[in-house]
Amino acid sequence: MISYIFWFLSFTAVFSALATILSKNPVHSVLYIIVTFFSIAGHYFLLNAQFLAAVHIIVYAGAIMVLFLYVIMMLNLNRLEKEKTQNWMKLLSVVSAGLLMLVMVSAVGRASLMAGAGQPDETMGLTQALGQVLYRDYLLPFELSSILFLSAMVGAVYLSKKEPTTPPL
Amino acid sequence: MGTHTELIPGITVEHYLWLSVALFCLGVFGILFRRNAIIMFMCVELMLNAVNLMLVAFSRYYGQTDAQVFVFFIMVVAAAEVAVGLAILMMLYRNMHTTDTDVLNKLKW
């Protein structure tokens, strides 16, 4: 029963990722990639990582994709001019992505995994266990990431400031 | 592929490996295929998510919580990247009136 949920979520993720790439309208791309993110969150639930699933939905579907949608609508890109990609470029992209896929599939197919932990700990992905690891073992990276956010915020504000002296290129 | 690698009934860690390989390659394909910088950004997010999924699967496989903390930090970096990247795109659009990466080639060569 639970393996059917896995297959359903996997096919949803792969097909909506493909639809993201192939759809002409960027707004449709954003909506399809939100479907992908929700199915990945479903995978996190299946793997018993509830905290990550919640954070994934909040951060990706709630913040990042809203930012994308906001920029697309602000720049009015939803009636996009046609991309002038030549056909040989498209063919080359298909071929090179296929070659990468081939390399990865053969590498993964030959990989021999070490034995796992056996019966997994069910409380591992819960907020309490994750919070203890985060605040005990990874306290310094956690604090450094706040500095990263601060610098990203300063950079974003500085970059999107209007500069009236610059002539249009 | 034995039963000792099962994460949830009927699904082994290899299944998750194949899924994240597929998603990662789709992200690479999208970056090569599309010329719109916003779609290319979304494909970068897709690749980051493929890696996150693999980390979570291995975290359950080995019974280690640390990988889930790494996923948390990857999400942090992704959020910062999107904030700065979309600001750069806004500025580019304001100056060049396009997000097509075939036009934005001043730094090429």
Side-chain angles (χ1 to χ4, degrees):
Chain A
M1 173 56 204
I2 207 162
S3 62
Y4 289 119
I5 301 175
F6 170 85
W7 289 114
F8 173 71
L9 289 173
S10 305
F11 280 115
T12 314
V14 170
F15 279 113
S16 50
L18 208 56
T20 305
I21 297 164
L22 297 180
S23 67
K24 294 266 183 288
N25 190 336
V27 178
H28 292 174
S29 290
V30 170
L31 296 178
Y32 280 124
I33 208 165
I34 287 174
V35 174
T36 309
F37 287 158
F38 268 98
S39 50
I40 288 174
H43 278 301
Y44 290 167
F45 272 117
L46 278 188
L47 290 167
N48 212 23
Q50 286 97 334
F51 177 71
L52 277 185
V55 168
H56 187 265
I57 289 177
I58 291 168
V59 170
Y60 276 104
I64 292 182
M65 283 304 131
V66 170
L67 210 59
F68 270 106
L69 212 54
Y70 186 74
V71 168
I72 286 173
M73 289 183 171
M74 195 151 98
L75 302 185
N76 205 10
L77 290 179
N78 47 353
R79 40 130 198 83
L80 198 65
E81 66 270 32
K82 199 167 168 1
E83 291 183 27
K84 290 175 279 294
T85 316
Q86 293 96 332
N87 277 330
W88 62 271
M89 286 273 289
K90 289 189 173 177
L91 186 69
L92 276 185
S93 71
V94 173
V95 167
S96 45
L99 282 177
L100 179 73
M101 182 98 181
L102 192 70
V103 168
M104 283 184 141
V105 162
S106 67
V108 168
R110 284 157 190 268
S112 58
L113 299 168
M114 284 187 285
Q119 194 59 38
D121 182 11
E122 293 299 331
T123 62
M124 196 181 70
L126 300 185
T127 312
Q128 188 183 5
L130 209 57
Q132 272 166 358
V133 174
L134 187 62
Y135 287 113
R136 198 180 49 217
D137 301 337
Y138 292 92
L139 186 61
L140 182 65
F142 181 76
E143 296 293 342
L144 285 178
S145 68
S146 68
I147 298 175
L148 176 74
F149 263 134
L150 181 67
S151 54
M153 194 185 77
V154 170
V157 169
Y158 178 73
L159 282 173
S160 51
K161 206 174 56 178
K162 258 206 161 57
E163 292 175 78
T165 52
T166 314
L169 296 173
Chain B
M1 201 189 284
T3 49
H4 64 286
T5 58
E6 264 191 359
L7 294 181
I8 47 183
I11 300 299
T12 62
V13 69
E14 276 96 349
H15 285 93
Y16 276 101
L17 268 173
W18 296 122
L19 175 61
S20 39
V21 163
L23 285 178
F24 189 88
C25 290
L26 274 176
V28 173
F29 170 61
I31 284 184
L32 296 172
F33 190 71
R34 295 300 295 263
R35 298 287 87 186
N36 186 349
I38 291 182
I39 311 277
M40 290 165 82
F41 254 121
M42 284 185 224
C43 294
V44 172
E45 298 300 317
L46 196 62
M47 287 156 74
L48 286 171
N49 271 288
V51 175
N52 280 352
L53 185 64
M54 195 178 320
L55 277 174
V56 173
F58 274 109
S59 142
R60 184 164 170 86
Y61 179 58
Y62 287 119
Q64 298 279 324
T65 316
D66 301 37
Q68 300 197 5
V69 178
F70 290 159
V71 172
F72 193 68
F73 285 125
I74 290 175
M75 284 180 189
V76 167
V77 172
E81 173 234 336
V82 164
V84 176
L86 285 179
I88 291 173
L89 267 183
M90 291 277 302
M91 198 185 64
L92 276 175
Y93 190 81
R94 194 179 294 147
N95 288 323
M96 313 267 289
H97 301 287
T98 183
T99 55
D100 194 321
T101 48
D102 278 339
V103 182
L104 308 173
N105 56 3
K106 285 271 160 58
L107 288 179
K108 207 175 170 186
W109 312 124

